Amino acid sequence: AQSVTQLGSHVSVSEGALVLLRCNYSSSVPPYLFWYVQYPNQGLQLLLKYTTGATLVKGINGFEAEFKKSETSFHLTKPSAHMSDAAEYFCAVSSGAGSYQLTFGKGTKLSVIP
Amino acid sequence: ETGVTQTPRHLVMGMTNKKSLKCEQHLGHNAMYWYKQSAKKPLELMFVYNFKEQTENNSVPSRFSPECPNSSHLFLHLHTLQPEDSALYLCASSQGASGGPYNEQFFGPGTRLTVL
């Protein structure tokens, strides 16, 4: 069984500051990892995903995440926050090996202060 | 229409009502999902269908009844709900088991359900 822990249910950053959203996972098999974003009154949209290969993954809107197996982490970063980044962010894990279901974290709400 | 659509977007119902939520995907996917999103809780996977067959039922109360007549349509029939069932219900689709374990799930905008 797999699980996802997102540290911090709410993160506030100033516009132009670094965004760091933390995600740690637990999986008994090599995981596939995802970050989704949810804007108000909308469904979830994929930001980026890690499957195999390069551990630094680039996504949409300037976000990137690094898979660190030794730390079982997949933290999401963006060098400079923009007001439009204010949303809720969800980390998710798929256990692979024929599974196509995702286990989601509780989400982190990002606020961007002008 | 493109992507995943859900209707209605908002629904208010009494505890004795019967209503249905509808989801349609225009992506040619084989798997469809129902999730419940409540405040301060993780997304809860409710049901999974792959090639119209239900492959997952995460101990969901029988007052929620899913139906998947084909790979493009998914319904959630609701009856005698409780106030604690008020939540955002999200539908998603993906390529399913045939698409591999890293295939992306595409989400609809959700139905905001309020049970009075």
Side-chain angles (χ1 to χ4, degrees), chain A residues 32 34 36 38 41-44 46 49 51 90 94 96-102 104-106, chain B residues 9 33 35 37 42-43 45 48 50 55-56 88 90 96-97 101-105 107-109:
Chain A
Y32 298 97
F34 304 77
Y36 282 83
Q38 185 178 30
N41 300 314
Q42 294 187 28
L44 279 68
L46 183 70
K49 65 181 179 183
T51 55
F90 294 89
S94 166
S99 170
Y100 52 95
Q101 298 181 30
L102 298 178
F104 285 87
K106 291 185 177 182
Chain B
R9 293 294 308 276
Y33 311 76
Y35 288 90
Q37 187 176 32
L43 255 67
L45 179 64
V48 181
N50 192 44
T55 58
E56 187 79 22
L88 182 68
L90 291 166
Y102 43 78
N103 59 97
E104 173 186 354
Q105 289 188 17
F107 285 80

Side-chain angles (χ1 to χ4, degrees), chain B residues 9-92:
Chain B
R9 293 294 308 276
H10 299 272
L11 178 63
V12 179
M13 59 187 289
M15 294 168 60
T16 58
N17 291 156
K18 288 185 180 181
K19 297 286 184 183
S20 296
L21 309 184
K22 179 183 177 182
C23 175
E24 184 173 1
Q25 59 95 1
H26 309 268
L27 301 167
H29 288 161
N30 299 312
M32 297 188 77
Y33 311 76
W34 279 118
Y35 288 90
K36 177 182 179 183
Q37 187 176 32
S38 307
K40 300 180 182 179
K41 282 188 176 182
L43 255 67
E44 299 175 65
L45 179 64
M46 300 175 72
F47 301 104
V48 181
Y49 279 82
N50 192 44
F51 289 100
K52 302 186 297 178
E53 298 296 321
Q54 188 179 124
T55 58
E56 187 79 22
N57 176 339
N58 276 350
S59 303
V60 180
S62 60
R63 57 185 183 269
F64 295 91
S65 175
E67 178 189 1
C68 188
N70 54 61
S71 293
S72 298
H73 294 86
L74 184 64
F75 295 88
L76 188 62
H77 304 299
L78 316 171
H79 64 98
T80 59
L81 293 191
Q82 305 297 312
E84 59 264 30
D85 297 323
S86 298
L88 182 68
Y89 289 84
L90 291 166
C91 174

Side-chain angles (χ1 to χ4, degrees), chain A residues 52-94:
Chain A
T52 57
T55 56
L56 183 61
V57 181
K58 295 185 184 299
I60 62 172
N61 301 337
F63 284 93
E64 61 183 37
E66 187 171 10
F67 170 60
K68 292 187 176 180
K69 184 178 178 181
S70 61
E71 298 178 7
T72 60
S73 68
F74 190 56
H75 301 330
L76 182 70
T77 60
K78 182 174 180 178
S80 176
H82 192 272
M83 294 299 294
S84 60
D85 295 326
E88 191 154 18
Y89 293 79
F90 294 89
C91 183
V93 61
S94 166

